[in-house]
Amino acid sequence: MAYEKVPHHIAIVMDGNGRWANKRFLPRIAGHRQGVESLKRCAKACDARGIRVLTVFAFSSENWKRPTEEVSGLMDLFAMALAREVNQLKKDGVQLHFVGDRRGLSPRVVRSMEEGEAATASNNRLILNACFNYGGRWDIAQAAQKLADQGLPITEVNMNQVMSMAHVPDPDLVIRTGGEHRISNFLLWQAAYSEFFFTDVFWPDFDEAALDQAIASFAQRERRFGMTSDQLDAEPTSAGAP
């Protein structure tokens, strides 16, 4: 397809790993492993299509409620994947950021995060935000607390500056795989004017064709940001404006 109108920033709720594994009579962790491969494929596809920021929901603050062995397996998988992939991310020009509450994470996981961020800090081809132990309500609360600690008024402008993803513009497009139609506490503040795309495809099966379908849907949307179509025609507004 031609990429005439692509989002600058795509965010994805990577859902369906466990159900993908269950359908194949595999342990749920096998689905998460395949999900890592899908993320690698998606990052390369985004780069090829001119998308400059990719944000993924890797582990939510609610995921701690899952069975202990699944949570433990996810933590081990996360640390191993980081150690294995960080050199390739560096070569590919990917700048890695981990977004979320690091309190309660093991020193091993936090150390892997810090090392991955440091190793890729000078890259500028694609920004990859991995939301890990993240929740949208937590994000808003921590931002408000920062402003309170600094004695600053809680305004939209000030909040934007202390949100966990202040280093990138808000997502233009939010994709959720796996057939569910909800936001699940993901980027509640940042997605205020995002376009949404829902697909039944489980995350491990999300490929270039599925990404292109989401981009094609986005390209057909008229993003008015509170204005009318006539106003847009008279005074074009850049994508991402409030």
Side-chain angles (χ1 to χ4, degrees), residues 106-171:
S106 72
R108 176 193 178 198
V109 169
V110 173
R111 184 168 59 250
S112 295
M113 289 177 166
E114 293 172 346
E115 290 173 352
E117 289 177 329
T120 62
S122 61
N123 290 348
N124 57 16
R125 189 172 178 89
L126 173 72
I127 295 175
L128 174 59
N129 299 306
C131 295
F132 198 85
N133 198 25
Y134 174 88
R137 290 177 175 176
W138 162 84
D139 199 359
I140 294 169
Q142 67 83 28
Q145 187 62 56
K146 282 182 180 178
L147 294 181
D149 292 344
Q150 297 171 27
L152 296 174
I154 298 177
T155 65
E156 287 191 31
V157 171
N158 287 343
M159 287 285 285
N160 279 330
Q161 294 174 349
V162 292
M163 297 298 293
S164 63
M165 295 216 306
H167 59 287
V168 293
D170 291 343

Side-chain angles (χ1 to χ4, degrees), residues 15 28 32 62-71 74:
D15 196 14
R28 289 176 61 87
H32 295 303
E62 286 77 33
N63 285 156
W64 293 105
K65 301 173 185 176
R66 294 189 174 188
T68 302
E69 67 175 31
E70 182 175 351
V71 171
L74 280 169

Side-chain angles (χ1 to χ4, degrees), residues 16-204:
N17 290 341
R19 284 172 288 159
W20 180 92
N22 289 339
K23 285 184 65 176
R24 290 159 177 79
F25 304 101
L26 297 171
R28 289 176 61 87
I29 195 64
H32 295 303
R33 291 195 188 98
Q34 194 61 37
V36 172
E37 298 304 312
S38 184
L39 175 55
K40 290 160 58 178
R41 182 171 63 234
C42 184
K44 289 181 180 179
C46 284
D47 179 42
R49 287 151 178 76
I51 295 154
R52 298 276 63 96
V53 184
L54 173 62
T55 299
V56 296
F57 207 2
F59 188 86
S60 80
S61 51
E62 286 77 33
N63 285 156
W64 293 105
K65 301 173 185 176
R66 294 189 174 188
T68 302
E69 67 175 31
E70 182 175 351
V71 171
S72 178
L74 280 169
M75 292 297 167
D76 289 342
L77 176 63
F78 178 73
M80 287 188 293
L82 260 180
R84 185 177 66 243
E85 302 297 339
V86 70
N87 286 336
Q88 188 61 49
L89 291 174
K90 186 175 181 179
K91 291 178 183 177
D92 291 342
V94 176
Q95 185 183 115
L96 189 59
H97 292 263
F98 292 100
V99 180
D101 189 356
R102 300 189 185 186
R103 296 173 300 175
L105 299 178
S106 72
R108 176 193 178 198
V109 169
V110 173
R111 184 168 59 250
S112 295
M113 289 177 166
E114 293 172 346
E115 290 173 352
E117 289 177 329
T120 62
S122 61
N123 290 348
N124 57 16
R125 189 172 178 89
L126 173 72
I127 295 175
L128 174 59
N129 299 306
C131 295
F132 198 85
N133 198 25
Y134 174 88
R137 290 177 175 176
W138 162 84
D139 199 359
I140 294 169
Q142 67 83 28
Q145 187 62 56
K146 282 182 180 178
L147 294 181
D149 292 344
Q150 297 171 27
L152 296 174
I154 298 177
T155 65
E156 287 191 31
V157 171
N158 287 343
M159 287 285 285
N160 279 330
Q161 294 174 349
V162 292
M163 297 298 293
S164 63
M165 295 216 306
H167 59 287
V168 293
D170 291 343
D172 304 296
L173 174 64
V174 177
I175 300 170
R176 179 164 188 152
T177 64
E180 303 292 352
H181 296 154
R182 57 179 177 269
I183 196 169
S184 292
N185 199 21
F186 184 48
L187 304 182
L188 299 182
W189 179 275
Q190 296 88 345
Y193 274 97
S194 300
E195 300 295 326
F196 284 81
F197 182 84
F198 300 99
T199 175
D200 291 336
V201 175
F202 291 147
W203 176 246

